C-alpha cells in the first residue's frame, strides 16, 4: 500500500505546523533553566537562537522532512524524562492538538486495563506516571491511588518470588 503524496496545500500546512512546533520546542529549551549550558566555548541560548534561524530557513526552502526530524530530535529529552508539562506547553503555545506522549499513555492504559504490572519496565512507567500526576493540577487522586495499588501489588509479588527457596536439583 503506497501513501499518497500530499498536495501543495497539505505540505504548506505541515510546513507551518512543524515550523511552529520546532520554534516552540526551542523556546521551551530557552525558557527552561535546566536546559541552560554555559561554558567558555558553548552558550546554549545562542545555540537555540541559531537553531530558530535555521528553522526559518528550512521552512522557507520547504524542507518538511528536516523540520519533522528536528521536532522528533528536539523533543527526545522530554519524552525520555516524561516531561508532561512540555506537552501542555506545546498545545498552548502552538494551538495544535499534539500529544508526543501518545504511545506512553497507551502503554499505561493497557497496564491499567490488565490490572497488573508484569515487568520492571511497566513498573518504571507506572511509577513515573504517578510522579507526573502528582505535579499536575488538578491532582487526579483516583488515578494516582489506582496506579499506586498496581505498584504495591507488583512489589509484593516480586518480594514473594525472591523469598521462595530455589530448587537445587
Amino acid at each position: 500500500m503506497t501513501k499518497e503524496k500530499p498536495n501543495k496545500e497539505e505540505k504548506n500546512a505541515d510546513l507551518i505546523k512543524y515550523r511552529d512546533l520546532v520554534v516552540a520546542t526551542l523556546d521551551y529549551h530557552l525558557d527552561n533553566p535546566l536546559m541552560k549550558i554555559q561554558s567558555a566555548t558553548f552558550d546554549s541560548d545562542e545555540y537555540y537562537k541559531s537553531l530558530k534561524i535555521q528553522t526559518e530557513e528550512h521552512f522557507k526552502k520547504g524542507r518538511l522532512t528536516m523540520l519533522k526530524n528536528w521536532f522528533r530530535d528536539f523533543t527526545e529529552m522530554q519524552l525520555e524524562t516524561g516531561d508532561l508539562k512540555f506537552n501542555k506547553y506545546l498545545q498552548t503555545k502552538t494551538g495544535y492538538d499534539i500529544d508526543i506522549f501518545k504511545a506512553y499513555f497507551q502503554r499505561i492504559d493497557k497496564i491499567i486495563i490488565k490490572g497488573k504490572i508484569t515487568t520492571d519496565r511497566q513498573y518504571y512507567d507506572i511509577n513515573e506516571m504517578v510522579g507526573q500526576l502528582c505535579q499536575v493540577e488538578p491532582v487526579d487522586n483516583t488515578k494516582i491511588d489506582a496506579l499506586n495499588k498496581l505498584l504495591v501489588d507488583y512489589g509484593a509479588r516480586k518480594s514473594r518470588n525472591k523469598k521462595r527457596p530455589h530448587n537445587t536439583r
Side-chain angles (χ1 to χ4, degrees), residues 93-154:
K93 181 107 175 171
T94 66
Y96 292 110
D97 184 20
I98 188 153
D99 187 356
I100 67 167
F101 295 101
K102 187 175 184 177
Y104 172 71
F105 287 126
Q106 287 172 337
R107 284 196 318 268
I108 298 295
D109 289 344
K110 284 180 184 176
I111 297 166
I112 292 169
I113 290 167
K114 187 168 54 170
K116 183 178 182 181
I117 297 172
T118 56
T119 68
D120 287 345
R121 177 69 203 173
Q122 289 176 349
Y123 179 88
Y124 173 79
D125 283 345
I126 295 290
N127 197 37
E128 191 68 30
M129 175 60 82
V130 170
Q132 292 295 328
L133 287 173
C134 289
Q135 298 174 30
V136 176
E137 291 292 332
V139 175
D140 186 348
N141 288 317
T142 305
K143 189 167 190 173
I144 291 170
D145 290 345
L147 294 174
N148 276 329
K149 182 182 179 331
L150 293 173
L151 292 169
V152 168
D153 291 348
Y154 181 73

Side-chain angles (χ1 to χ4, degrees), residues 19 23 51-61:
R19 177 206 52 198
V23 168
L51 290 175
K52 286 174 70 171
I53 293 167
Q54 290 177 52
T55 298
E56 280 302 320
E57 290 171 11
H58 293 314
F59 170 74
K60 288 176 185 169
K61 292 180 179 177

Side-chain angles (χ1 to χ4, degrees), residues 31-90:
D31 295 341
N32 188 341
L34 297 174
M35 304 295 284
K36 297 223 185 286
I37 302 170
Q38 196 151 18
S39 70
T41 58
F42 183 79
D43 180 348
S44 61
D45 283 357
E46 292 304 315
Y47 175 69
Y48 294 132
K49 288 174 186 174
S50 74
L51 290 175
K52 286 174 70 171
I53 293 167
Q54 290 177 52
T55 298
E56 280 302 320
E57 290 171 11
H58 293 314
F59 170 74
K60 288 176 185 169
K61 292 180 179 177
R63 296 180 182 149
L64 179 58
T65 301
M66 180 69 79
L67 293 174
K68 285 182 175 181
N69 288 342
W70 275 24
F71 180 67
R72 183 198 64 227
D73 293 346
F74 295 152
T75 58
E76 191 173 316
M77 185 182 303
Q78 284 73 29
L79 281 166
E80 287 181 8
T81 60
D83 184 355
L84 299 178
K85 293 177 201 161
F86 173 70
N87 212 47
K88 187 69 174 164
Y89 175 90
L90 271 183

